[in-house]
Amino acid sequence: MPAPPLLHGIGLRQPHYREFRALRPPLGFVEVHSENFFNPHDAASQVLAAVRKDYPVSLHGVGLALGSACGLDEHHVRQLAELVARIDPVRISDHACFARAPWGQRGIVHAGDLLPIAYTHASLDILCANVERVQDRLGRPLLVENLSAYLDFPERDFSEPQFFAELGRRSGCGLLLDVNNLYVNALNAAEPDPLQAVCGWISELAREAPPGLVGEIHLAGFSEQQGLIIDDHSRLVAEAVWQAYVHALDCLGPVSTLIEWDEHLPTLSVLLGQAERAGALCAARCETAQAAS
Amino acid sequence: MSAATHTTELERQQRLIAAIFAPQMEPAACPDVLQDGARREAGLAAYRGNGLAHARNALRAQFPTVLAMLGNDAFDVLSARYWRARPPRRGDLAWVGEELPAYIATVDSLDAWPWLADCARLDWAIWQTAGAAPPRMTHADLQRLAAEDPAGLSLRLAGCTAYIPSAWPIVTIHLAHQDEAADWSMVRQAILDGGGQTAWVWRPQGDAAAEVRTIALEDAAARWVAALAAGESIVGALDAAGEGFDFAAWMQKALAEGWLDGVAAFAPR
């Protein structure tokens, strides 16, 4: 029986560049923040070009603001398209959020964060239009990530899993399923059983979504700040999130999985250890699937 | 989607953006959200905090001299005021500091540091130069330079160069902040003397691995570079530079370091 493909990856951050390139650990892919590599002439882009020779690269954006009702920043889309042409990434993703809106005399401003959208028909129309525009420009599908949201809007025409299933059906994009975000939302909503709430979300998605909608999974850690759980990617993945991840693999099958870590970066070995744990769970799910077939 | 429902979403998003950029102490004009009271404020604070932290971290990287002069706490206060007064226009944090030098010039509480805005301009020029395209000077440009009347030609400065004229000794100030053994009495004296400097910034041959260099130009070289940047012909720029400018030596250095993008036909403005 052939060995299952490596499906686990890490977010590659600047403090790890040198050690990572020397170590060349066995990974299915690495992921970087797209915006950090928009400039083709700086030193970071030289590093990425070198890494790309050894690994598939997943480009994960934080600035497209795909849910913005005022539309997209053409300059941002063009820079992303140029980066995609240079790197030929294995996947391209951003978030189901807005960040751009008109602000008085200043014109359109960008909040620099991932702001929540309402799960309404109008929001879905806006998101679909913007996703389609980017996909048309790139000539390939996007993955759109579910948010950790610190505020919610009362107007709601869809449950969140229904919203992403419909987004995928209409636009042809996939879902980047962030399991940690689901758990953060469940904690902030004071769900009596947050793990059960997350597993319920994933089960609903599996029922509602077109096959193969989920193109990547994100796992990360979180912290508590001033009474709110913040998705700051600053810790080890919580045990409850690992349990929800296993449920996701059971529902969705093996999916490429990333360990995200952005704040209080650990040593590379700690990060790789988390990725190996995800890889082992994925591989076990692959073997189960192969045995069943 | 009807225009009305699109407008509803646009207005909802505008209200949340306005609440995020509103001063902390004012009641937030937040759109209707499920959360209320302290939980709503905590949610807003999270978004404000994230956006500001991202901007502040980028500004610290982009303005190391300003950061060193003000110290962490004062720089963070400046960053927060700037972020609210000039909210970012792009989702790419590499550009978040684009308007900080001009903003600093408007802040009354920084009047005691009249050189700070120009130091910020120099920091920004260095940041920009570190990621600028390499020079594009070709052999054909050199042949043209040798064969044609210099009165009909101009030299294009490379994108990986910048010049910053200032009424303050900004290069002395900048270099002192790079040097752990800096002679601060010399820096203070340079400020008291009131002598301005024109900073010349470049990344050798636009090499991504090379460090950006900064020097103070002699007066004649400063006039020469300013004339080139203004699109003057070579002859016109030489006239502007005046006595004491060594064109041959400058060209030799320019070719070795990659200061030029090429030669163009002079087009009077």
Side-chain angles (χ1 to χ4, degrees):
Chain A
M1 186 180 291
L6 293 177
L7 292 175
H8 57 292
I10 62 167
L12 184 59
R13 305 293 180 254
Q14 190 271 336
H16 291 149
Y17 284 172
R18 186 184 297 268
E19 186 183 0
F20 182 85
R21 291 189 63 195
L23 194 61
R24 295 173 66 175
L27 292 170
F29 68 104
V30 298
E31 189 160 292
V32 296
H33 285 162
S34 310
E35 288 80 3
N36 291 348
F37 300 90
F38 275 177
N39 187 333
H41 305 298
D42 66 13
S45 287
Q46 313 304 312
V47 172
L48 184 61
V51 168
R52 178 65 185 88
K53 291 175 183 166
D54 296 330
Y55 296 92
V57 168
S58 178
L59 294 176
H60 184 53
V62 294
L64 268 175
L66 289 164
S68 298
C70 66
L72 300 171
D73 176 354
E74 174 57 30
H75 181 69
H76 199 106
V77 176
R78 186 171 62 246
Q79 287 189 296
L80 177 61
E82 291 170 0
L83 174 61
V84 167
R86 288 196 301 276
I87 294 299
D88 187 22
V90 63
R91 287 179 292 279
I92 310 161
S93 57
D94 208 301
H95 298 80
C97 70
F98 88 95
R100 306 177 75 238
W103 192 71
Q105 299 289 319
R106 180 79 174 156
I108 291 174
V109 301
H110 194 292
D113 200 12
L114 311 170
L115 304 182
I117 55 174
Y119 297 117
T120 61
H121 287 291
S123 275
L124 182 62
D125 289 344
I126 290 163
L127 191 56
C128 282
N130 288 337
V131 166
E132 286 166 3
R133 188 176 147 206
V134 176
Q135 291 181 150
D136 287 348
R137 183 63 177 269
L138 302 182
R140 48 194 296 177
L142 281 179
L143 298 181
V144 178
E145 180 182 333
N146 58 295
L147 284 190
S148 53
Y150 308 120
L151 295 171
D152 300 295
F153 301 110
E155 296 83 3
R156 182 179 280 250
D157 299 323
F158 304 92
S159 70
E160 199 176 357
Q162 287 171 337
F163 186 86
F164 283 105
E166 193 61 21
L167 173 66
R169 263 191 291 273
R170 282 180 49 181
S171 72
C173 76
L175 171 62
L176 194 168
L177 176 62
D178 191 315
V179 178
N180 183 60
N181 285 350
L182 298 180
Y183 192 67
V184 166
N185 289 344
L187 291 174
N188 283 330
E191 291 283 354
D193 186 339
L195 176 58
Q196 188 179 46
V198 173
C199 291
W201 195 108
I202 293 168
S203 296
E204 184 182 354
L205 179 79
R207 287 194 304 274
E208 298 281 344
L213 180 76
V214 178
E216 185 176 323
I217 289 176
H218 275 184
L219 301 175
F222 55 81
S223 67
E224 183 172 349
Q225 298 172 26
Q226 297 171 333
L228 203 60
I229 305 300
I230 302 293
D231 170 43
D232 58 0
H233 308 162
S234 65
R235 309 271 173 89
L236 294 168
V237 177
E239 284 307 314
V241 173
W242 284 115
Q243 291 176 52
Y245 173 59
V246 170
H247 180 72
L249 294 178
D250 287 343
C251 291
L252 305 167
V255 180
S256 290
T257 300
L258 179 89
I259 304 297
E260 276 189 304
W261 204 315
D262 291 296
E263 299 288 333
H264 310 301
L265 272 183
T267 61
L268 182 59
S269 63
V270 169
L271 187 56
L272 291 172
Q274 293 273 283
E276 284 163 13
R277 181 171 175 182
L281 291 168
C282 242
R285 185 63 184 76
C286 283
E287 286 167 9
T288 304
Q290 283 177 339
S293 63
Chain B
M1 174 174 43
S2 72
T5 56
H6 182 274
T7 301
T8 300
E9 291 304 330
L10 181 63
E11 289 175 352
R12 187 205 306 275
Q13 295 183 357
Q14 280 183 282
R15 287 198 298 275
L16 185 52
I17 286 270
I20 286 169
F21 285 110
Q24 294 266 12
M25 302 311 291
E26 287 183 10
C30 191
D32 290 337
V33 292
L34 282 173
Q35 295 77 14
D36 57 13
R39 174 62 182 81
R40 187 186 74 162
E41 288 302 314
L44 272 177
Y47 288 125
R48 284 180 182 137
N50 287 344
L52 177 56
H54 296 150
R56 184 179 59 227
N57 291 341
L59 291 170
R60 284 178 169 218
Q62 291 163 6
F63 296 93
T65 312
V66 177
L67 172 62
M69 282 191 281
L70 293 182
N72 288 342
D73 291 347
F75 188 87
D76 289 353
V77 170
L78 174 66
S79 297
R81 289 180 61 178
Y82 169 64
W83 184 73
R84 290 208 172 79
R86 306 273 194 279
R89 287 193 167 114
R90 305 192 195 193
D92 178 1
L93 285 167
W95 291 92
V96 74
E98 190 173 19
E99 297 173 73
L100 184 64
Y103 177 72
I104 286 173
T106 70
V107 178
D108 292 344
S109 59
L110 296 174
D111 281 352
W113 306 58
W115 51 85
L116 199 63
D118 282 355
C119 289
R121 288 169 62 215
L122 177 53
D123 274 346
W124 183 249
I126 292 170
W127 171 259
Q128 292 287 92
T129 303
R136 291 172 293 186
M137 187 85 170
T138 65
H139 189 65
D141 287 310
L142 289 174
Q143 286 181 321
R144 192 174 179 190
L145 197 57
E148 296 185 26
D149 180 358
L153 296 176
S154 61
L155 296 173
R156 290 196 307 266
L157 295 172
C160 56
T161 67
Y163 88 103
I164 311 294
S166 174
W168 299 97
I170 55 173
V171 177
T172 301
I173 295 170
H174 170 77
L175 294 178
H177 283 92
Q178 314 297 309
D179 180 4
E180 289 182 3
D183 178 355
W184 291 101
S185 64
M186 188 264 291
V187 176
R188 274 191 293 274
Q189 194 58 50
I191 291 172
L192 290 171
D193 289 347
Q197 289 177 329
T198 294
W200 179 241
V201 178
W202 79 99
R203 191 176 58 172
Q205 293 297 345
D207 178 0
E211 284 197 16
V212 175
R213 298 183 189 172
T214 305
I215 60 172
L217 290 175
E218 300 286 340
D219 289 348
R223 291 191 294 271
W224 160 256
V225 167
L228 292 185
E232 269 292 350
S233 70
I234 294 172
V235 169
L238 284 170
D239 287 344
E243 292 293 319
F245 179 65
D246 186 341
F247 173 73
W250 192 90
M251 277 301 294
Q252 189 177 21
K253 183 83 170 168
L255 295 174
E257 297 290 331
W259 292 348
L260 295 171
D261 252 356
V263 176
F266 171 54
R269 293 181 181 174

